[in-house]
Amino acid sequence: MYTLKIRRVRNSLGVILPKEALHKLRVRQRENVFITETPSDTQTACNSDFAKAMEAYRKVSTKYRNALNELAQ
């Protein structure tokens, strides 16, 4: 577990990741990191396949909302 401090970056807020966390997440400068909430905890993903899957989900989520809700049950 890492403790991250929220800092002001111009008109936004940001965090600085320690080298150990960057190495563990296998991320480099300018890569995207996705943070998702689950009922039990918060998870991170920095995988390009994850980004593609989320983009595909966004495209169909509103059109097939009822079907996705049924599948979730």
Side-chain angles (χ1 to χ4, degrees):
M1 176 192 253
Y2 301 99
T3 303
L4 305 175
K5 190 174 209 176
I6 307 291
R7 299 177 186 264
R8 180 164 301 283
V9 180
R10 297 186 184 157
N11 291 334
S12 301
L13 298 176
V15 295
I16 296 175
L17 299 172
K19 287 183 183 180
E20 298 84 20
L22 293 172
H23 181 70
K24 187 174 181 179
L25 291 170
R26 295 185 211 145
V27 292
R28 291 175 286 181
Q29 187 174 356
R30 303 236 180 240
E31 286 186 327
N32 293 324
V33 176
F34 302 93
I35 300 174
T36 57
E37 273 187 77
T38 62
S40 60
D41 65 354
T42 301
Q43 300 176 349
T44 60
C46 50
N47 184 324
S48 62
D49 293 336
F50 179 79
K52 291 176 188 175
M54 289 307 296
E55 183 61 33
Y57 169 76
R58 282 188 201 102
K59 287 181 182 178
V60 300
S61 65
T62 54
K63 184 176 181 180
Y64 298 107
R65 180 182 315 219
N66 294 335
L68 292 170
N69 285 335
E70 287 295 318
L71 288 171
Q73 295 176 1

Coordinates of all heavy atoms in Angstrom, one line a residue:
M1 N 0.8 -1.2 0.0 CA 0.0 0.0 0.0 C 0.9 1.2 0.0 O 1.9 1.3 0.7 CB -0.9 0.0 1.2 CG -1.7 1.2 1.3 SD -2.5 1.4 2.9 CE -4.2 1.1 2.5
Y2 N 0.5 2.2 -0.8 CA 1.2 3.5 -0.9 C 0.3 4.6 -0.4 O -0.9 4.6 -0.7 CB 1.7 3.7 -2.3 CG 2.5 2.6 -2.9 CD1 2.0 1.6 -3.7 CD2 3.9 2.6 -2.6 CE1 2.8 0.6 -4.2 CE2 4.7 1.5 -3.1 CZ 4.1 0.6 -3.9 OH 4.9 -0.4 -4.4
T3 N 0.9 5.6 0.3 CA 0.2 6.8 0.7 C 0.6 7.9 -0.3 O 1.7 8.2 -0.5 CB 0.6 7.2 2.1 OG1 0.3 6.1 3.0 CG2 -0.2 8.4 2.5
L4 N -0.4 8.4 -1.0 CA -0.2 9.4 -2.0 C -0.8 10.7 -1.5 O -1.9 10.8 -0.9 CB -0.9 9.0 -3.3 CG -0.5 7.7 -3.9 CD1 -1.3 7.4 -5.1 CD2 1.0 7.6 -4.2
K5 N -0.1 11.8 -1.8 CA -0.5 13.1 -1.3 C -1.1 13.8 -2.6 O -0.5 13.8 -3.6 CB 0.7 13.9 -0.8 CG 0.3 15.2 -0.2 CD 1.5 15.8 0.5 CE 1.1 16.7 1.7 NZ 2.3 17.2 2.3
I6 N -2.3 14.4 -2.4 CA -3.0 15.2 -3.4 C -2.3 16.5 -3.5 O -2.1 17.2 -2.5 CB -4.4 15.4 -3.1 CG1 -5.1 14.0 -2.8 CG2 -5.1 16.1 -4.2 CD1 -5.3 13.1 -4.0
R7 N -1.9 16.9 -4.7 CA -1.2 18.2 -4.9 C -1.9 19.0 -6.0 O -2.5 18.4 -6.9 CB 0.2 18.0 -5.4 CG 1.1 17.2 -4.4 CD 2.5 16.9 -4.9 NE 3.2 16.1 -4.0 CZ 4.1 16.6 -3.1 NH1 4.3 17.9 -3.0 NH2 4.7 15.7 -2.3
R8 N -1.8 20.3 -5.9 CA -2.3 21.2 -6.9 C -1.4 21.2 -8.1 O -0.2 21.5 -8.0 CB -2.6 22.6 -6.4 CG -3.2 23.5 -7.5 CD -3.7 24.8 -6.9 NE -4.8 24.5 -5.9 CZ -6.1 24.2 -6.3 NH1 -6.4 24.1 -7.5 NH2 -7.0 24.1 -5.3
V9 N -1.9 21.0 -9.3 CA -1.2 21.1 -10.6 C -1.9 22.1 -11.4 O -2.9 21.7 -12.0 CB -1.0 19.7 -11.3 CG1 -0.2 19.9 -12.6 CG2 -0.4 18.7 -10.3
R10 N -1.5 23.3 -11.5 CA -2.2 24.4 -12.1 C -3.6 24.5 -11.6 O -3.8 24.8 -10.4 CB -2.1 24.3 -13.6 CG -0.7 24.4 -14.1 CD -0.6 24.4 -15.6 NE 0.8 24.3 -16.0 CZ 1.2 23.9 -17.2 NH1 0.3 23.5 -18.1 NH2 2.5 23.9 -17.5
N11 N -4.6 24.3 -12.5 CA -6.0 24.4 -12.0 C -6.6 23.1 -11.7 O -7.8 23.0 -11.5 CB -6.8 25.1 -13.1 CG -6.5 26.5 -13.3 OD1 -6.0 27.2 -12.4 ND2 -6.7 27.0 -14.5
S12 N -5.8 22.0 -11.6 CA -6.3 20.7 -11.3 C -5.6 20.1 -10.0 O -4.8 20.8 -9.4 CB -6.0 19.8 -12.5 OG -6.6 20.2 -13.6
L13 N -6.0 18.9 -9.7 CA -5.3 18.2 -8.6 C -4.7 17.0 -9.2 O -5.2 16.4 -10.1 CB -6.4 17.8 -7.5 CG -7.1 19.0 -6.8 CD1 -8.1 18.4 -5.9 CD2 -6.1 19.8 -6.1
G14 N -3.6 16.5 -8.6 CA -2.9 15.3 -9.1 C -2.2 14.6 -7.9 O -2.1 15.1 -6.8
V15 N -1.6 13.5 -8.3 CA -0.8 12.7 -7.3 C 0.5 12.4 -8.0 O 0.6 12.3 -9.2 CB -1.5 11.4 -6.8 CG1 -2.8 11.7 -6.1 CG2 -1.8 10.5 -8.0
I16 N 1.5 12.2 -7.1 CA 2.8 11.8 -7.6 C 3.0 10.3 -7.1 O 2.9 10.1 -5.9 CB 3.9 12.7 -7.1 CG1 3.7 14.1 -7.7 CG2 5.3 12.1 -7.5 CD1 4.6 15.1 -7.2
L17 N 3.3 9.4 -8.1 CA 3.4 8.0 -7.7 C 4.9 7.8 -7.4 O 5.8 8.2 -8.2 CB 3.0 7.1 -8.9 CG 1.5 7.2 -9.3 CD1 1.3 6.4 -10.5 CD2 0.7 6.7 -8.1
P18 N 5.2 7.0 -6.3 CA 6.6 6.7 -6.1 C 7.1 5.7 -7.1 O 6.3 5.0 -7.8 CB 6.5 6.0 -4.7 CG 5.1 5.9 -4.3 CD 4.3 6.6 -5.3
K19 N 8.4 5.6 -7.2 CA 9.1 4.8 -8.2 C 8.6 3.3 -8.1 O 8.4 2.6 -9.1 CB 10.6 4.9 -8.2 CG 11.1 6.1 -8.7 CD 12.7 6.1 -8.6 CE 13.2 7.5 -9.1 NZ 14.7 7.5 -9.0
E20 N 8.5 2.9 -6.8 CA 8.1 1.5 -6.6 C 6.7 1.2 -7.2 O 6.5 0.1 -7.7 CB 8.1 1.2 -5.1 CG 9.5 1.3 -4.4 CD 9.8 2.7 -4.0 OE1 8.9 3.6 -3.9 OE2 11.0 3.0 -3.9
A21 N 5.8 2.1 -7.0 CA 4.4 2.0 -7.5 C 4.4 2.0 -9.0 O 3.7 1.2 -9.7 CB 3.5 3.0 -7.0
L22 N 5.2 2.8 -9.6 CA 5.3 2.9 -11.1 C 5.9 1.6 -11.6 O 5.4 1.0 -12.6 CB 6.2 4.0 -11.5 CG 5.7 5.4 -11.3 CD1 6.8 6.5 -11.6 CD2 4.5 5.7 -12.1
H23 N 6.9 1.0 -11.0 CA 7.4 -0.3 -11.4 C 6.4 -1.4 -11.2 O 6.3 -2.2 -12.2 CB 8.7 -0.5 -10.6 CG 9.4 -1.8 -11.0 ND1 10.0 -2.0 -12.2 CD2 9.5 -3.0 -10.3 CE1 10.5 -3.2 -12.2 NE2 10.2 -3.8 -11.1
K24 N 5.7 -1.4 -10.1 CA 4.7 -2.5 -9.9 C 3.6 -2.4 -10.9 O 3.1 -3.4 -11.4 CB 4.2 -2.4 -8.5 CG 3.3 -3.5 -8.1 CD 2.9 -3.5 -6.7 CE 2.0 -4.6 -6.3 NZ 1.6 -4.6 -4.9
L25 N 3.1 -1.2 -11.2 CA 2.0 -1.0 -12.2 C 2.5 -1.1 -13.6 O 1.7 -1.2 -14.5 CB 1.4 0.4 -12.0 CG 0.6 0.6 -10.7 CD1 0.2 2.1 -10.6 CD2 -0.7 -0.2 -10.8
R26 N 3.8 -1.0 -13.8 CA 4.4 -1.1 -15.2 C 3.9 0.0 -16.1 O 3.4 -0.2 -17.2 CB 4.1 -2.5 -15.8 CG 4.8 -3.6 -15.1 CD 4.6 -4.9 -15.8 NE 4.6 -5.9 -14.8 CZ 3.8 -7.0 -14.9 NH1 3.1 -7.2 -16.0 NH2 3.8 -7.9 -14.0
V27 N 3.9 1.2 -15.5 CA 3.5 2.4 -16.3 C 4.6 3.3 -16.6 O 5.6 3.4 -15.8 CB 2.3 3.1 -15.7 CG1 1.1 2.3 -15.6 CG2 2.7 3.6 -14.3
R28 N 4.5 4.1 -17.6 CA 5.5 5.1 -18.0 C 4.8 6.4 -18.2 O 3.6 6.5 -18.1 CB 6.2 4.7 -19.2 CG 7.1 3.5 -19.0 CD 7.7 3.1 -20.3 NE 6.6 2.4 -21.1 CZ 6.7 1.9 -22.2 NH1 7.9 1.9 -22.9 NH2 5.7 1.3 -22.8
Q29 N 5.6 7.4 -18.4 CA 5.0 8.8 -18.6 C 4.0 8.8 -19.8 O 4.3 8.1 -20.8 CB 6.2 9.7 -18.9 CG 5.8 11.2 -19.0 CD 7.0 12.1 -19.1 OE1 8.1 11.7 -19.1 NE2 6.7 13.4 -19.2
R30 N 3.0 9.5 -19.6 CA 1.9 9.7 -20.6 C 1.0 8.5 -20.8 O 0.1 8.5 -21.7 CB 2.5 10.1 -22.0 CG 3.3 11.4 -21.9 CD 2.7 12.4 -22.8 NE 3.5 13.6 -22.8 CZ 3.0 14.8 -22.4 NH1 1.8 14.9 -22.1 NH2 3.8 15.8 -22.4
E31 N 1.2 7.4 -20.1 CA 0.2 6.3 -20.2 C -1.0 6.5 -19.3 O -0.9 7.3 -18.3 CB 0.9 5.0 -19.7 CG 1.9 4.4 -20.8 CD 2.4 3.1 -20.4 OE1 2.6 2.8 -19.2 OE2 2.7 2.3 -21.3
N32 N -2.1 5.9 -19.6 CA -3.3 6.0 -18.8 C -3.4 5.0 -17.8 O -3.0 3.8 -18.0 CB -4.5 5.9 -19.7 CG -4.6 7.0 -20.7 OD1 -4.3 8.2 -20.4 ND2 -5.1 6.7 -21.9
V33 N -3.9 5.4 -16.6 CA -4.1 4.5 -15.5 C -5.6 4.6 -15.2 O -6.1 5.7 -15.0 CB -3.3 4.8 -14.3 CG1 -3.6 3.9 -13.1 CG2 -1.8 4.7 -14.6
F34 N -6.3 3.5 -15.1 CA -7.7 3.4 -14.9 C -8.0 3.0 -13.4 O -7.4 2.0 -13.0 CB -8.4 2.5 -15.8 CG -8.2 2.8 -17.2 CD1 -7.2 2.3 -18.0 CD2 -9.0 3.7 -17.9 CE1 -6.9 2.6 -19.3 CE2 -8.8 4.1 -19.2 CZ -7.8 3.5 -19.9
I35 N -8.8 3.7 -12.7 CA -9.2 3.3 -11.4 C -10.7 3.0 -11.3 O -11.5 3.8 -11.8 CB -8.9 4.5 -10.4 CG1 -7.4 4.8 -10.4 CG2 -9.3 4.1 -9.0 CD1 -7.0 6.0 -9.6
T36 N -11.0 1.8 -10.9 CA -12.4 1.4 -10.8 C -12.7 1.1 -9.3 O -11.9 0.6 -8.6 CB -12.7 0.2 -11.7 OG1 -11.8 -0.9 -11.3 CG2 -12.4 0.5 -13.1
E37 N -14.0 1.3 -9.0 CA -14.5 1.0 -7.6 C -15.3 -0.3 -7.7 O -16.1 -0.5 -8.6 CB -15.3 2.1 -7.1 CG -14.6 3.2 -6.4 CD -15.6 4.2 -5.8 OE1 -16.1 3.9 -4.7 OE2 -15.8 5.3 -6.4
T38 N -15.0 -1.1 -6.7 CA -15.8 -2.3 -6.6 C -16.4 -2.3 -5.2 O -16.0 -1.4 -4.4 CB -15.0 -3.6 -6.7 OG1 -14.0 -3.6 -5.7 CG2 -14.3 -3.7 -8.0
P39 N -17.4 -3.1 -4.9 CA -18.0 -3.0 -3.5 C -17.0 -3.2 -2.4 O -17.1 -2.7 -1.3 CB -19.1 -4.1 -3.5 CG -19.4 -4.3 -5.0 CD -18.2 -4.0 -5.7
S40 N -16.0 -4.0 -2.7 CA -15.1 -4.4 -1.6 C -13.8 -3.5 -1.5 O -13.3 -3.2 -0.5 CB -14.6 -5.8 -1.7 OG -13.9 -6.0 -3.0
D41 N -13.4 -2.9 -2.7 CA -12.2 -2.1 -2.7 C -12.1 -1.3 -4.0 O -13.0 -1.3 -4.8 CB -10.9 -2.9 -2.4 CG -10.7 -3.9 -3.6 OD1 -11.5 -4.0 -4.5 OD2 -9.6 -4.5 -3.5
T42 N -11.0 -0.6 -4.1 CA -10.7 0.2 -5.3 C -9.5 -0.5 -6.1 O -8.6 -1.0 -5.4 CB -10.2 1.6 -5.0 OG1 -11.3 2.2 -4.3 CG2 -10.0 2.4 -6.2
Q43 N -9.7 -0.7 -7.4 CA -8.7 -1.4 -8.2 C -8.1 -0.5 -9.3 O -8.8 0.4 -9.8 CB -9.3 -2.6 -8.8 CG -9.8 -3.6 -7.8 CD -10.5 -4.8 -8.4 OE1 -10.7 -4.8 -9.6 NE2 -10.8 -5.8 -7.6
T44 N -6.9 -0.7 -9.6 CA -6.3 0.1 -10.7 C -5.9 -0.9 -11.9 O -5.7 -2.1 -11.7 CB -5.0 0.8 -10.3 OG1 -4.1 -0.2 -9.9 CG2 -5.2 1.8 -9.2
A45 N -6.0 -0.4 -13.1 CA -5.6 -1.1 -14.2 C -4.8 -0.2 -15.2 O -5.2 1.0 -15.4 CB -6.8 -1.7 -14.9
C46 N -3.8 -0.7 -15.8 CA -3.0 0.2 -16.7 C -2.7 -0.6 -18.0 O -1.7 -0.5 -18.6 CB -1.7 0.6 -16.0 SG -0.8 -0.7 -15.3
N47 N -3.6 -1.4 -18.4 CA -3.5 -2.3 -19.5 C -4.2 -1.7 -20.7 O -5.3 -1.3 -20.6 CB -4.1 -3.6 -19.1 CG -4.0 -4.7 -20.1 OD1 -4.0 -4.5 -21.3 ND2 -3.8 -5.9 -19.6
S48 N -3.6 -1.7 -21.9 CA -4.2 -1.2 -23.1 C -5.4 -2.0 -23.5 O -6.4 -1.5 -24.1 CB -3.2 -1.1 -24.2 OG -2.7 -2.4 -24.6
D49 N -5.4 -3.3 -23.2 CA -6.6 -4.2 -23.5 C -7.8 -3.7 -22.7 O -8.9 -3.8 -23.1 CB -6.3 -5.7 -23.2 CG -5.2 -6.2 -24.2 OD1 -5.1 -5.7 -25.3 OD2 -4.6 -7.2 -23.8
F50 N -7.5 -3.3 -21.4 CA -8.6 -2.9 -20.6 C -9.2 -1.6 -21.2 O -10.4 -1.4 -21.2 CB -8.0 -2.6 -19.2 CG -9.1 -2.0 -18.2 CD1 -10.0 -2.9 -17.6 CD2 -9.1 -0.7 -17.9 CE1 -10.9 -2.4 -16.7 CE2 -10.1 -0.2 -17.1 CZ -11.0 -1.1 -16.5
A51 N -8.4 -0.7 -21.7 CA -8.9 0.5 -22.3 C -9.7 0.2 -23.5 O -10.8 0.8 -23.7 CB -7.7 1.4 -22.7
K52 N -9.3 -0.7 -24.3 CA -10.1 -1.1 -25.5 C -11.5 -1.7 -25.0 O -12.5 -1.5 -25.6 CB -9.3 -2.1 -26.3 CG -8.2 -1.5 -27.0 CD -7.4 -2.6 -27.8 CE -6.1 -2.0 -28.3 NZ -5.3 -3.0 -29.0
A53 N -11.4 -2.6 -24.0 CA -12.7 -3.2 -23.5 C -13.6 -2.2 -23.0 O -14.8 -2.2 -23.2 CB -12.3 -4.2 -22.5
M54 N -13.1 -1.2 -22.3 CA -14.0 -0.1 -21.7 C -14.6 0.7 -22.8 O -15.7 1.1 -22.7 CB -13.2 0.7 -20.7 CG -12.9 0.1 -19.4 SD -14.3 -0.7 -18.6 CE -15.3 0.8 -18.2
E55 N -13.8 1.0 -23.8 CA -14.3 1.7 -25.0 C -15.4 1.0 -25.7 O -16.5 1.5 -26.0 CB -13.2 2.1 -26.0 CG -13.6 2.9 -27.1 CD -14.2 4.3 -26.7 OE1 -13.7 4.8 -25.7 OE2 -15.1 4.8 -27.4
A56 N -15.3 -0.3 -25.9 CA -16.3 -1.2 -26.5 C -17.5 -1.2 -25.6 O -18.7 -1.1 -26.1 CB -15.8 -2.6 -26.7
Y57 N -17.4 -1.3 -24.3 CA -18.5 -1.2 -23.4 C -19.3 0.1 -23.5 O -20.5 0.1 -23.5 CB -18.0 -1.5 -21.9 CG -19.1 -1.2 -20.9 CD1 -20.2 -2.1 -20.7 CD2 -19.2 0.0 -20.2 CE1 -21.2 -1.9 -19.8 CE2 -20.2 0.2 -19.3 CZ -21.2 -0.7 -19.1 OH -22.2 -0.4 -18.3
R58 N -18.5 1.2 -23.5 CA -19.2 2.5 -23.6 C -20.1 2.6 -24.9 O -21.1 3.3 -24.8 CB -18.2 3.6 -23.6 CG -17.6 3.9 -22.2 CD -16.7 5.1 -22.2 NE -15.9 5.1 -21.0 CZ -14.6 4.7 -21.0 NH1 -14.0 4.4 -22.2 NH2 -13.9 4.7 -19.9
K59 N -19.6 2.0 -25.9 CA -20.4 2.1 -27.2 C -21.7 1.4 -27.1 O -22.7 1.8 -27.7 CB -19.5 1.5 -28.3 CG -18.4 2.4 -28.7 CD -17.6 1.8 -29.9 CE -16.4 2.7 -30.3 NZ -15.6 2.1 -31.3
V60 N -21.8 0.3 -26.4 CA -23.0 -0.5 -26.4 C -23.8 -0.4 -25.1 O -24.9 -0.9 -25.0 CB -22.7 -2.0 -26.6 CG1 -22.0 -2.3 -27.9 CG2 -21.9 -2.6 -25.5
S61 N -23.2 0.3 -24.1 CA -23.9 0.3 -22.8 C -25.3 1.0 -22.8 O -26.2 0.5 -22.1 CB -23.0 1.0 -21.7 OG -22.8 2.3 -22.0
T62 N -25.5 2.0 -23.5 CA -26.8 2.7 -23.5 C -27.7 1.9 -24.4 O -28.9 1.8 -24.1 CB -26.6 4.1 -24.0 OG1 -26.0 4.2 -25.2 CG2 -25.9 5.0 -23.0
K63 N -27.3 1.4 -25.5 CA -28.2 0.7 -26.5 C -28.7 -0.6 -25.9 O -29.9 -0.9 -26.0 CB -27.4 0.4 -27.8 CG -28.3 -0.2 -28.8 CD -27.5 -0.3 -30.1 CE -28.4 -0.9 -31.2 NZ -27.6 -1.1 -32.5
Y64 N -27.8 -1.3 -25.2 CA -28.2 -2.6 -24.6 C -28.3 -2.6 -23.1 O -28.0 -3.6 -22.4 CB -27.2 -3.7 -25.0 CG -27.2 -3.8 -26.5 CD1 -26.1 -3.4 -27.3 CD2 -28.2 -4.5 -27.2 CE1 -26.1 -3.5 -28.7 CE2 -28.2 -4.6 -28.6 CZ -27.1 -4.1 -29.3 OH -27.1 -4.3 -30.7
R65 N -28.7 -1.5 -22.5 CA -28.8 -1.3 -21.1 C -29.6 -2.4 -20.4 O -29.2 -3.0 -19.4 CB -29.4 0.1 -20.7 CG -29.5 0.4 -19.2 CD -30.1 1.7 -19.0 NE -29.5 2.7 -19.9 CZ -29.1 3.9 -19.6 NH1 -29.4 4.3 -18.4 NH2 -28.6 4.7 -20.4
N66 N -30.8 -2.7 -20.9 CA -31.7 -3.7 -20.3 C -31.1 -5.1 -20.3 O -31.1 -5.8 -19.3 CB -33.1 -3.7 -21.0 CG -33.8 -2.4 -20.7 OD1 -33.6 -1.7 -19.8 ND2 -34.8 -2.1 -21.6
A67 N -30.5 -5.4 -21.4 CA -29.8 -6.7 -21.5 C -28.6 -6.8 -20.6 O -28.4 -7.9 -19.9 CB -29.4 -7.0 -23.0
L68 N -27.9 -5.8 -20.5 CA -26.7 -5.8 -19.5 C -27.2 -5.9 -18.1 O -26.6 -6.6 -17.3 CB -25.8 -4.6 -19.8 CG -25.1 -4.5 -21.1 CD1 -24.5 -3.2 -21.3 CD2 -24.1 -5.6 -21.2
N69 N -28.3 -5.2 -17.8 CA -28.8 -5.3 -16.4 C -29.3 -6.7 -16.1 O -29.1 -7.3 -15.0 CB -30.0 -4.3 -16.2 CG -29.5 -2.9 -16.0 OD1 -28.4 -2.7 -15.6 ND2 -30.3 -2.0 -16.3
E70 N -29.9 -7.4 -17.1 CA -30.4 -8.8 -16.9 C -29.2 -9.7 -16.7 O -29.2 -10.6 -15.9 CB -31.2 -9.3 -18.1 CG -32.6 -8.6 -18.1 CD -33.4 -9.0 -16.9 OE1 -33.4 -10.2 -16.5 OE2 -34.1 -8.2 -16.4
L71 N -28.1 -9.5 -17.5 CA -26.9 -10.3 -17.4 C -26.2 -10.1 -16.0 O -25.6 -11.1 -15.5 CB -25.9 -10.0 -18.5 CG -26.3 -10.5 -19.9 CD1 -25.4 -10.0 -20.9 CD2 -26.3 -12.0 -19.9
A72 N -26.3 -8.9 -15.5 CA -25.7 -8.6 -14.2 C -26.3 -9.3 -13.0 O -25.7 -9.5 -12.0 CB -25.6 -7.1 -14.0
Q73 N -27.6 -9.8 -13.2 CA -28.3 -10.4 -12.1 C -28.1 -11.8 -12.0 O -27.6 -12.7 -12.2 CB -29.8 -10.2 -12.2 CG -30.1 -8.7 -12.1 CD -31.6 -8.5 -12.3 OE1 -32.4 -9.4 -12.5 NE2 -32.0 -7.2 -12.2

